[in-house]
Amino acid sequence: MLNGVEHELAIRLRGVVKRYGPITAVDHLDLDVPLGTCVGLLGPNGAGKSTTMRLLTAQSIADEGELEVLGFRLPEESKMARAQSGVTPQLDNLDTTLTVEQNLLVFAHLYRIARADRRAAIERALEMAMLGDRRASRVDKLSGGMRRRLLIARALIHRPRLVLLDEPTVGLDPQVRQGIWALIDALRSEGTTILMSTHYIEEAQRLADTVLIMSHGSAVASGSPSDLVLEHAGREVLEVYGQPARLAEVEAQAKGEGLQTRGTGTSISILNVDGATSFPAGERRAANLEDVFVLLTGEEIT
Ligand code: ADP
């Protein structure tokens, strides 16, 4: 609620459950994506991010709960929701026998863009994806990063109000990832609403206004990256290096003082040490979203 007026939501999930036999992939999930914001679903592998994305496109049907996308109820009104949304799947399903431009044209038809507007729509998509000079290349001649940019551009062809990006940079080299981030950031500044799943902490930190951390199908925390860091890890973290026995000692001392810790293999990080001086020498550093992620999901970063 903002000034007593409920923020208009592009996505609203309440108590959503999705089971696969004995596995509960999504477990009573609540999720709000306000219009005009970028929300990151951040979680380790198996947390339920992809399942949530599939529920939002009605590729999967929830067992329980309420789902609304752009004011349409799912699954009943999923066709209407899909017409105003752009979706990029995790797996590249581009037609590799066609050129970049032809791939975009196919989607311009699918989304029923009027003939008179098709050219402009394709040019805009090419420009956003920085693929203007590769328009005539067959998709199988493109690099992995270019293919991913095309996959996103294809989802934007009909100027959707909402874009769903499932792990937009998974499997790409770090330097290639930045090209995708620039594209997502440009979309964001145009005011397009974005929901993005990712297991890359840096991606969520850089792009998302709000991050929802998922673990075992549920939301374990949500907020802006900086609020989450402040709330769960404080301002300062003390990182102590040493042999396992020494680290165990430091961990016990921290716990004894009511402080939380996270391991990194060769060190132990004591969270929320802001101002505390009774600790052994170590490196003091600013707390970050990775600290929060590890604390809340129990995952180690490799
Ligand atoms: P994430 O995208 O966060 O890695 P997923 O949504 O893919 O997580 O998976 C969540 C859980 O649901 C996992 O335990 C996964 O094995 C299980 N799961 C996902 N899809 C299926 C399916 N089609 N059949 C059976 N189990 C599934």
PDB file of all heavy atoms in Angstrom, residues 18-21 23-26 41-54 60 90 166-167 197-199 214 216-217, ligand 1:
ATOM      1  N   LYS A  18       2.593 -25.553  -6.600  1.00  0.00           N
ATOM      2  CA  LYS A  18       2.711 -26.464  -7.740  1.00  0.00           C
ATOM      3  C   LYS A  18       3.471 -27.696  -7.295  1.00  0.00           C
ATOM      4  O   LYS A  18       4.601 -27.600  -6.810  1.00  0.00           O
ATOM      5  CB  LYS A  18       3.446 -25.781  -8.899  1.00  0.00           C
ATOM      6  CG  LYS A  18       3.660 -26.689 -10.103  1.00  0.00           C
ATOM      7  CD  LYS A  18       2.347 -27.069 -10.779  1.00  0.00           C
ATOM      8  CE  LYS A  18       2.545 -28.141 -11.837  1.00  0.00           C
ATOM      9  NZ  LYS A  18       1.254 -28.548 -12.427  1.00  0.00           N
ATOM     10  N   ARG A  19       2.825 -28.849  -7.435  1.00  0.00           N
ATOM     11  CA  ARG A  19       3.480 -30.101  -7.024  1.00  0.00           C
ATOM     12  C   ARG A  19       3.759 -30.962  -8.243  1.00  0.00           C
ATOM     13  O   ARG A  19       2.984 -30.961  -9.206  1.00  0.00           O
ATOM     14  CB  ARG A  19       2.551 -30.890  -6.093  1.00  0.00           C
ATOM     15  CG  ARG A  19       2.231 -30.187  -4.802  1.00  0.00           C
ATOM     16  CD  ARG A  19       1.428 -31.091  -3.858  1.00  0.00           C
ATOM     17  NE  ARG A  19       0.899 -30.269  -2.776  1.00  0.00           N
ATOM     18  CZ  ARG A  19      -0.301 -29.681  -2.796  1.00  0.00           C
ATOM     19  NH1 ARG A  19      -1.110 -29.860  -3.836  1.00  0.00           N
ATOM     20  NH2 ARG A  19      -0.693 -28.933  -1.788  1.00  0.00           N
ATOM     21  N   TYR A  20       4.867 -31.670  -8.168  1.00  0.00           N
ATOM     22  CA  TYR A  20       5.152 -32.732  -9.137  1.00  0.00           C
ATOM     23  C   TYR A  20       5.269 -34.002  -8.317  1.00  0.00           C
ATOM     24  O   TYR A  20       6.314 -34.237  -7.704  1.00  0.00           O
ATOM     25  CB  TYR A  20       6.457 -32.472  -9.887  1.00  0.00           C
ATOM     26  CG  TYR A  20       6.399 -31.273 -10.809  1.00  0.00           C
ATOM     27  CD1 TYR A  20       7.060 -30.094 -10.484  1.00  0.00           C
ATOM     28  CD2 TYR A  20       5.677 -31.328 -11.999  1.00  0.00           C
ATOM     29  CE1 TYR A  20       7.011 -28.997 -11.331  1.00  0.00           C
ATOM     30  CE2 TYR A  20       5.621 -30.228 -12.846  1.00  0.00           C
ATOM     31  CZ  TYR A  20       6.287 -29.071 -12.502  1.00  0.00           C
ATOM     32  OH  TYR A  20       6.234 -28.000 -13.338  1.00  0.00           O
ATOM     33  N   GLY A  21       4.224 -34.787  -8.255  1.00  0.00           N
ATOM     34  CA  GLY A  21       4.250 -35.987  -7.410  1.00  0.00           C
ATOM     35  C   GLY A  21       4.607 -35.579  -5.996  1.00  0.00           C
ATOM     36  O   GLY A  21       3.966 -34.683  -5.425  1.00  0.00           O
ATOM     37  N   ILE A  23       7.160 -33.948  -5.009  1.00  0.00           N
ATOM     38  CA  ILE A  23       7.956 -32.710  -4.915  1.00  0.00           C
ATOM     39  C   ILE A  23       7.036 -31.497  -4.961  1.00  0.00           C
ATOM     40  O   ILE A  23       6.187 -31.391  -5.853  1.00  0.00           O
ATOM     41  CB  ILE A  23       8.950 -32.612  -6.098  1.00  0.00           C
ATOM     42  CG1 ILE A  23       9.941 -33.767  -6.037  1.00  0.00           C
ATOM     43  CG2 ILE A  23       9.671 -31.271  -6.114  1.00  0.00           C
ATOM     44  CD1 ILE A  23      10.804 -33.886  -7.280  1.00  0.00           C
ATOM     45  N   THR A  24       7.198 -30.588  -3.999  1.00  0.00           N
ATOM     46  CA  THR A  24       6.469 -29.326  -4.060  1.00  0.00           C
ATOM     47  C   THR A  24       7.434 -28.290  -4.643  1.00  0.00           C
ATOM     48  O   THR A  24       8.305 -27.789  -3.946  1.00  0.00           O
ATOM     49  CB  THR A  24       5.955 -28.913  -2.669  1.00  0.00           C
ATOM     50  OG1 THR A  24       5.172 -29.996  -2.154  1.00  0.00           O
ATOM     51  CG2 THR A  24       5.076 -27.677  -2.753  1.00  0.00           C
ATOM     52  N   ALA A  25       7.282 -28.014  -5.924  1.00  0.00           N
ATOM     53  CA  ALA A  25       8.232 -27.126  -6.617  1.00  0.00           C
ATOM     54  C   ALA A  25       7.990 -25.670  -6.231  1.00  0.00           C
ATOM     55  O   ALA A  25       8.930 -24.883  -6.113  1.00  0.00           O
ATOM     56  CB  ALA A  25       8.105 -27.306  -8.124  1.00  0.00           C
ATOM     57  N   VAL A  26       6.720 -25.310  -6.042  1.00  0.00           N
ATOM     58  CA  VAL A  26       6.358 -23.960  -5.585  1.00  0.00           C
ATOM     59  C   VAL A  26       5.419 -24.141  -4.406  1.00  0.00           C
ATOM     60  O   VAL A  26       4.426 -24.863  -4.499  1.00  0.00           O
ATOM     61  CB  VAL A  26       5.697 -23.139  -6.712  1.00  0.00           C
ATOM     62  CG1 VAL A  26       5.214 -21.797  -6.195  1.00  0.00           C
ATOM     63  CG2 VAL A  26       6.666 -22.949  -7.872  1.00  0.00           C
ATOM     64  N   LEU A  41      13.674 -12.760  -9.394  1.00  0.00           N
ATOM     65  CA  LEU A  41      13.451 -13.975  -8.595  1.00  0.00           C
ATOM     66  C   LEU A  41      14.804 -14.631  -8.470  1.00  0.00           C
ATOM     67  O   LEU A  41      15.324 -15.171  -9.443  1.00  0.00           O
ATOM     68  CB  LEU A  41      12.568 -14.948  -9.375  1.00  0.00           C
ATOM     69  CG  LEU A  41      11.071 -14.892  -9.305  1.00  0.00           C
ATOM     70  CD1 LEU A  41      10.490 -16.098 -10.038  1.00  0.00           C
ATOM     71  CD2 LEU A  41      10.580 -14.849  -7.879  1.00  0.00           C
ATOM     72  N   LEU A  42      15.367 -14.567  -7.288  1.00  0.00           N
ATOM     73  CA  LEU A  42      16.732 -15.059  -7.103  1.00  0.00           C
ATOM     74  C   LEU A  42      16.709 -16.300  -6.230  1.00  0.00           C
ATOM     75  O   LEU A  42      16.092 -16.300  -5.166  1.00  0.00           O
ATOM     76  CB  LEU A  42      17.558 -13.949  -6.434  1.00  0.00           C
ATOM     77  CG  LEU A  42      18.999 -14.254  -6.062  1.00  0.00           C
ATOM     78  CD1 LEU A  42      19.845 -14.484  -7.302  1.00  0.00           C
ATOM     79  CD2 LEU A  42      19.593 -13.104  -5.248  1.00  0.00           C
ATOM     80  N   GLY A  43      17.365 -17.349  -6.687  1.00  0.00           N
ATOM     81  CA  GLY A  43      17.412 -18.545  -5.853  1.00  0.00           C
ATOM     82  C   GLY A  43      18.339 -19.567  -6.454  1.00  0.00           C
ATOM     83  O   GLY A  43      18.643 -19.502  -7.647  1.00  0.00           O
ATOM     84  N   PRO A  44      18.787 -20.510  -5.644  1.00  0.00           N
ATOM     85  CA  PRO A  44      19.683 -21.542  -6.166  1.00  0.00           C
ATOM     86  C   PRO A  44      18.937 -22.486  -7.111  1.00  0.00           C
ATOM     87  O   PRO A  44      17.702 -22.427  -7.200  1.00  0.00           O
ATOM     88  CB  PRO A  44      20.135 -22.282  -4.902  1.00  0.00           C
ATOM     89  CG  PRO A  44      19.083 -22.003  -3.880  1.00  0.00           C
ATOM     90  CD  PRO A  44      18.501 -20.666  -4.217  1.00  0.00           C
ATOM     91  N   ASN A  45      19.658 -23.373  -7.764  1.00  0.00           N
ATOM     92  CA  ASN A  45      19.016 -24.359  -8.628  1.00  0.00           C
ATOM     93  C   ASN A  45      18.031 -25.180  -7.818  1.00  0.00           C
ATOM     94  O   ASN A  45      18.318 -25.565  -6.685  1.00  0.00           O
ATOM     95  CB  ASN A  45      20.071 -25.283  -9.248  1.00  0.00           C
ATOM     96  CG  ASN A  45      20.814 -24.596 -10.367  1.00  0.00           C
ATOM     97  OD1 ASN A  45      20.240 -23.774 -11.090  1.00  0.00           O
ATOM     98  ND2 ASN A  45      22.086 -24.886 -10.498  1.00  0.00           N
ATOM     99  N   GLY A  46      16.866 -25.394  -8.405  1.00  0.00           N
ATOM    100  CA  GLY A  46      15.864 -26.215  -7.734  1.00  0.00           C
ATOM    101  C   GLY A  46      14.969 -25.437  -6.788  1.00  0.00           C
ATOM    102  O   GLY A  46      14.086 -26.001  -6.148  1.00  0.00           O
ATOM    103  N   ALA A  47      15.156 -24.099  -6.720  1.00  0.00           N
ATOM    104  CA  ALA A  47      14.361 -23.294  -5.786  1.00  0.00           C
ATOM    105  C   ALA A  47      12.908 -23.124  -6.247  1.00  0.00           C
ATOM    106  O   ALA A  47      12.042 -22.770  -5.449  1.00  0.00           O
ATOM    107  CB  ALA A  47      15.009 -21.925  -5.607  1.00  0.00           C
ATOM    108  N   GLY A  48      12.654 -23.344  -7.526  1.00  0.00           N
ATOM    109  CA  GLY A  48      11.288 -23.194  -8.039  1.00  0.00           C
ATOM    110  C   GLY A  48      11.097 -21.994  -8.950  1.00  0.00           C
ATOM    111  O   GLY A  48       9.961 -21.643  -9.302  1.00  0.00           O
ATOM    112  N   LYS A  49      12.178 -21.389  -9.396  1.00  0.00           N
ATOM    113  CA  LYS A  49      12.071 -20.186 -10.230  1.00  0.00           C
ATOM    114  C   LYS A  49      11.444 -20.496 -11.596  1.00  0.00           C
ATOM    115  O   LYS A  49      10.515 -19.818 -12.024  1.00  0.00           O
ATOM    116  CB  LYS A  49      13.465 -19.554 -10.438  1.00  0.00           C
ATOM    117  CG  LYS A  49      14.195 -19.229  -9.159  1.00  0.00           C
ATOM    118  CD  LYS A  49      15.551 -18.614  -9.430  1.00  0.00           C
ATOM    119  CE  LYS A  49      16.510 -19.502 -10.195  1.00  0.00           C
ATOM    120  NZ  LYS A  49      16.931 -20.729  -9.469  1.00  0.00           N
ATOM    121  N   SER A  50      11.966 -21.521 -12.262  1.00  0.00           N
ATOM    122  CA  SER A  50      11.459 -21.834 -13.608  1.00  0.00           C
ATOM    123  C   SER A  50      10.005 -22.286 -13.539  1.00  0.00           C
ATOM    124  O   SER A  50       9.208 -21.954 -14.420  1.00  0.00           O
ATOM    125  CB  SER A  50      12.288 -22.936 -14.269  1.00  0.00           C
ATOM    126  OG  SER A  50      13.547 -22.439 -14.558  1.00  0.00           O
ATOM    127  N   THR A  51       9.687 -23.041 -12.517  1.00  0.00           N
ATOM    128  CA  THR A  51       8.299 -23.482 -12.362  1.00  0.00           C
ATOM    129  C   THR A  51       7.396 -22.262 -12.206  1.00  0.00           C
ATOM    130  O   THR A  51       6.327 -22.190 -12.825  1.00  0.00           O
ATOM    131  CB  THR A  51       8.167 -24.419 -11.136  1.00  0.00           C
ATOM    132  OG1 THR A  51       9.066 -25.511 -11.299  1.00  0.00           O
ATOM    133  CG2 THR A  51       6.755 -24.929 -10.980  1.00  0.00           C
ATOM    134  N   THR A  52       7.830 -21.288 -11.422  1.00  0.00           N
ATOM    135  CA  THR A  52       7.035 -20.060 -11.250  1.00  0.00           C
ATOM    136  C   THR A  52       6.860 -19.362 -12.598  1.00  0.00           C
ATOM    137  O   THR A  52       5.752 -18.925 -12.935  1.00  0.00           O
ATOM    138  CB  THR A  52       7.742 -19.118 -10.248  1.00  0.00           C
ATOM    139  OG1 THR A  52       7.933 -19.818  -9.027  1.00  0.00           O
ATOM    140  CG2 THR A  52       6.931 -17.864  -9.998  1.00  0.00           C
ATOM    141  N   MET A  53       7.939 -19.277 -13.383  1.00  0.00           N
ATOM    142  CA  MET A  53       7.847 -18.628 -14.687  1.00  0.00           C
ATOM    143  C   MET A  53       6.865 -19.393 -15.594  1.00  0.00           C
ATOM    144  O   MET A  53       6.076 -18.792 -16.307  1.00  0.00           O
ATOM    145  CB  MET A  53       9.226 -18.559 -15.366  1.00  0.00           C
ATOM    146  CG  MET A  53      10.257 -17.744 -14.610  1.00  0.00           C
ATOM    147  SD  MET A  53       9.780 -16.052 -14.236  1.00  0.00           S
ATOM    148  CE  MET A  53      10.608 -15.129 -15.479  1.00  0.00           C
ATOM    149  N   ARG A  54       6.901 -20.714 -15.537  1.00  0.00           N
ATOM    150  CA  ARG A  54       5.988 -21.503 -16.379  1.00  0.00           C
ATOM    151  C   ARG A  54       4.536 -21.323 -15.954  1.00  0.00           C
ATOM    152  O   ARG A  54       3.626 -21.325 -16.782  1.00  0.00           O
ATOM    153  CB  ARG A  54       6.364 -22.994 -16.344  1.00  0.00           C
ATOM    154  CG  ARG A  54       7.590 -23.332 -17.190  1.00  0.00           C
ATOM    155  CD  ARG A  54       7.641 -24.838 -17.509  1.00  0.00           C
ATOM    156  NE  ARG A  54       7.634 -25.642 -16.304  1.00  0.00           N
ATOM    157  CZ  ARG A  54       8.725 -25.972 -15.614  1.00  0.00           C
ATOM    158  NH1 ARG A  54       9.902 -25.586 -16.033  1.00  0.00           N
ATOM    159  NH2 ARG A  54       8.630 -26.707 -14.522  1.00  0.00           N
ATOM    160  N   SER A  60       2.295 -24.303 -17.200  1.00  0.00           N
ATOM    161  CA  SER A  60       1.944 -25.221 -16.113  1.00  0.00           C
ATOM    162  C   SER A  60       0.747 -24.619 -15.395  1.00  0.00           C
ATOM    163  O   SER A  60       0.571 -23.404 -15.395  1.00  0.00           O
ATOM    164  CB  SER A  60       3.074 -25.323 -15.085  1.00  0.00           C
ATOM    165  OG  SER A  60       4.183 -25.944 -15.627  1.00  0.00           O
ATOM    166  N   GLN A  90      14.163 -20.312 -21.176  1.00  0.00           N
ATOM    167  CA  GLN A  90      15.559 -20.564 -20.825  1.00  0.00           C
ATOM    168  C   GLN A  90      16.274 -21.269 -21.979  1.00  0.00           C
ATOM    169  O   GLN A  90      17.434 -21.015 -22.241  1.00  0.00           O
ATOM    170  CB  GLN A  90      15.565 -21.445 -19.583  1.00  0.00           C
ATOM    171  CG  GLN A  90      16.732 -21.171 -18.701  1.00  0.00           C
ATOM    172  CD  GLN A  90      16.703 -22.060 -17.478  1.00  0.00           C
ATOM    173  OE1 GLN A  90      17.365 -23.080 -17.431  1.00  0.00           O
ATOM    174  NE2 GLN A  90      15.929 -21.678 -16.488  1.00  0.00           N
ATOM    175  N   ASP A 166      13.402 -15.806 -18.240  1.00  0.00           N
ATOM    176  CA  ASP A 166      13.806 -16.946 -17.416  1.00  0.00           C
ATOM    177  C   ASP A 166      15.310 -17.150 -17.566  1.00  0.00           C
ATOM    178  O   ASP A 166      15.776 -17.567 -18.616  1.00  0.00           O
ATOM    179  CB  ASP A 166      13.026 -18.191 -17.853  1.00  0.00           C
ATOM    180  CG  ASP A 166      13.150 -19.323 -16.847  1.00  0.00           C
ATOM    181  OD1 ASP A 166      13.742 -19.122 -15.760  1.00  0.00           O
ATOM    182  OD2 ASP A 166      12.639 -20.421 -17.135  1.00  0.00           O
ATOM    183  N   GLU A 167      16.063 -16.833 -16.531  1.00  0.00           N
ATOM    184  CA  GLU A 167      17.528 -16.982 -16.530  1.00  0.00           C
ATOM    185  C   GLU A 167      18.134 -16.394 -17.813  1.00  0.00           C
ATOM    186  O   GLU A 167      18.737 -17.116 -18.612  1.00  0.00           O
ATOM    187  CB  GLU A 167      17.914 -18.468 -16.417  1.00  0.00           C
ATOM    188  CG  GLU A 167      17.518 -19.102 -15.105  1.00  0.00           C
ATOM    189  CD  GLU A 167      18.564 -18.936 -14.002  1.00  0.00           C
ATOM    190  OE1 GLU A 167      19.569 -18.238 -14.237  1.00  0.00           O
ATOM    191  OE2 GLU A 167      18.347 -19.481 -12.922  1.00  0.00           O
ATOM    192  N   SER A 197      14.039 -14.330 -13.681  1.00  0.00           N
ATOM    193  CA  SER A 197      14.581 -15.305 -12.732  1.00  0.00           C
ATOM    194  C   SER A 197      16.073 -15.395 -12.959  1.00  0.00           C
ATOM    195  O   SER A 197      16.549 -15.252 -14.085  1.00  0.00           O
ATOM    196  CB  SER A 197      13.934 -16.674 -12.947  1.00  0.00           C
ATOM    197  OG  SER A 197      14.426 -17.258 -14.134  1.00  0.00           O
ATOM    198  N   THR A 198      16.804 -15.611 -11.892  1.00  0.00           N
ATOM    199  CA  THR A 198      18.253 -15.714 -12.043  1.00  0.00           C
ATOM    200  C   THR A 198      18.854 -16.412 -10.832  1.00  0.00           C
ATOM    201  O   THR A 198      18.286 -16.374  -9.743  1.00  0.00           O
ATOM    202  CB  THR A 198      18.903 -14.323 -12.213  1.00  0.00           C
ATOM    203  OG1 THR A 198      20.311 -14.496 -12.431  1.00  0.00           O
ATOM    204  CG2 THR A 198      18.694 -13.426 -11.003  1.00  0.00           C
ATOM    205  N   HIS A 199      19.977 -17.106 -11.061  1.00  0.00           N
ATOM    206  CA  HIS A 199      20.714 -17.569  -9.883  1.00  0.00           C
ATOM    207  C   HIS A 199      22.036 -16.815  -9.776  1.00  0.00           C
ATOM    208  O   HIS A 199      22.876 -17.152  -8.955  1.00  0.00           O
ATOM    209  CB  HIS A 199      20.892 -19.088  -9.886  1.00  0.00           C
ATOM    210  CG  HIS A 199      21.768 -19.620 -10.969  1.00  0.00           C
ATOM    211  ND1 HIS A 199      21.309 -19.841 -12.250  1.00  0.00           N
ATOM    212  CD2 HIS A 199      23.068 -19.954 -10.969  1.00  0.00           C
ATOM    213  CE1 HIS A 199      22.313 -20.307 -12.979  1.00  0.00           C
ATOM    214  NE2 HIS A 199      23.393 -20.379 -12.237  1.00  0.00           N
ATOM    215  N   MET A 214      14.154 -16.929  -3.304  1.00  0.00           N
ATOM    216  CA  MET A 214      13.385 -18.175  -3.198  1.00  0.00           C
ATOM    217  C   MET A 214      14.276 -19.303  -2.719  1.00  0.00           C
ATOM    218  O   MET A 214      15.436 -19.392  -3.108  1.00  0.00           O
ATOM    219  CB  MET A 214      12.838 -18.588  -4.575  1.00  0.00           C
ATOM    220  CG  MET A 214      11.572 -17.911  -4.971  1.00  0.00           C
ATOM    221  SD  MET A 214      10.925 -18.628  -6.512  1.00  0.00           S
ATOM    222  CE  MET A 214       9.894 -19.955  -5.859  1.00  0.00           C
ATOM    223  N   HIS A 216      13.533 -23.609  -1.835  1.00  0.00           N
ATOM    224  CA  HIS A 216      12.581 -24.724  -1.693  1.00  0.00           C
ATOM    225  C   HIS A 216      11.143 -24.299  -2.000  1.00  0.00           C
ATOM    226  O   HIS A 216      10.226 -24.631  -1.261  1.00  0.00           O
ATOM    227  CB  HIS A 216      12.672 -25.333  -0.295  1.00  0.00           C
ATOM    228  CG  HIS A 216      14.050 -25.832   0.022  1.00  0.00           C
ATOM    229  ND1 HIS A 216      14.627 -26.903  -0.603  1.00  0.00           N
ATOM    230  CD2 HIS A 216      14.993 -25.346   0.866  1.00  0.00           C
ATOM    231  CE1 HIS A 216      15.856 -27.083  -0.147  1.00  0.00           C
ATOM    232  NE2 HIS A 216      16.110 -26.139   0.741  1.00  0.00           N
ATOM    233  N   GLY A 217      10.961 -23.531  -3.050  1.00  0.00           N
ATOM    234  CA  GLY A 217       9.624 -23.197  -3.509  1.00  0.00           C
ATOM    235  C   GLY A 217       8.964 -22.029  -2.819  1.00  0.00           C
ATOM    236  O   GLY A 217       7.888 -21.591  -3.210  1.00  0.00           O
TER     237      GLY A 217
HETATM  238  P1  ADP B   1      14.812 -23.526 -10.504  1.00  0.00           P
HETATM  239  O1  ADP B   1      14.308 -22.930 -11.757  1.00  0.00           O
HETATM  240  O2  ADP B   1      14.830 -22.570  -9.359  1.00  0.00           O
HETATM  241  O3  ADP B   1      16.146 -24.201 -10.685  1.00  0.00           O
HETATM  242  P2  ADP B   1      12.706 -25.458 -10.858  1.00  0.00           P
HETATM  243  O4  ADP B   1      11.447 -24.704 -10.886  1.00  0.00           O
HETATM  244  O5  ADP B   1      13.270 -25.898 -12.177  1.00  0.00           O
HETATM  245  O6  ADP B   1      13.800 -24.672 -10.035  1.00  0.00           O
HETATM  246  O7  ADP B   1      12.514 -26.770  -9.995  1.00  0.00           O
HETATM  247  C1  ADP B   1      11.948 -26.789  -8.681  1.00  0.00           C
HETATM  248  C2  ADP B   1      11.797 -28.237  -8.213  1.00  0.00           C
HETATM  249  O8  ADP B   1      10.767 -28.869  -8.962  1.00  0.00           O
HETATM  250  C3  ADP B   1      13.031 -29.098  -8.408  1.00  0.00           C
HETATM  251  O9  ADP B   1      13.119 -29.984  -7.333  1.00  0.00           O
HETATM  252  C4  ADP B   1      12.766 -29.813  -9.698  1.00  0.00           C
HETATM  253  O10 ADP B   1      13.453 -31.029  -9.747  1.00  0.00           O
HETATM  254  C5  ADP B   1      11.259 -30.014  -9.649  1.00  0.00           C
HETATM  255  N1  ADP B   1      10.631 -30.012 -10.993  1.00  0.00           N
HETATM  256  C6  ADP B   1      10.568 -28.972 -11.850  1.00  0.00           C
HETATM  257  N2  ADP B   1       9.908 -29.304 -12.977  1.00  0.00           N
HETATM  258  C7  ADP B   1       9.544 -30.610 -12.820  1.00  0.00           C
HETATM  259  C8  ADP B   1       8.822 -31.562 -13.629  1.00  0.00           C
HETATM  260  N3  ADP B   1       8.336 -31.217 -14.830  1.00  0.00           N
HETATM  261  N4  ADP B   1       8.652 -32.788 -13.140  1.00  0.00           N
HETATM  262  C9  ADP B   1       9.134 -33.136 -11.921  1.00  0.00           C
HETATM  263  N5  ADP B   1       9.804 -32.296 -11.108  1.00  0.00           N
HETATM  264  C10 ADP B   1      10.010 -31.065 -11.550  1.00  0.00           C
END
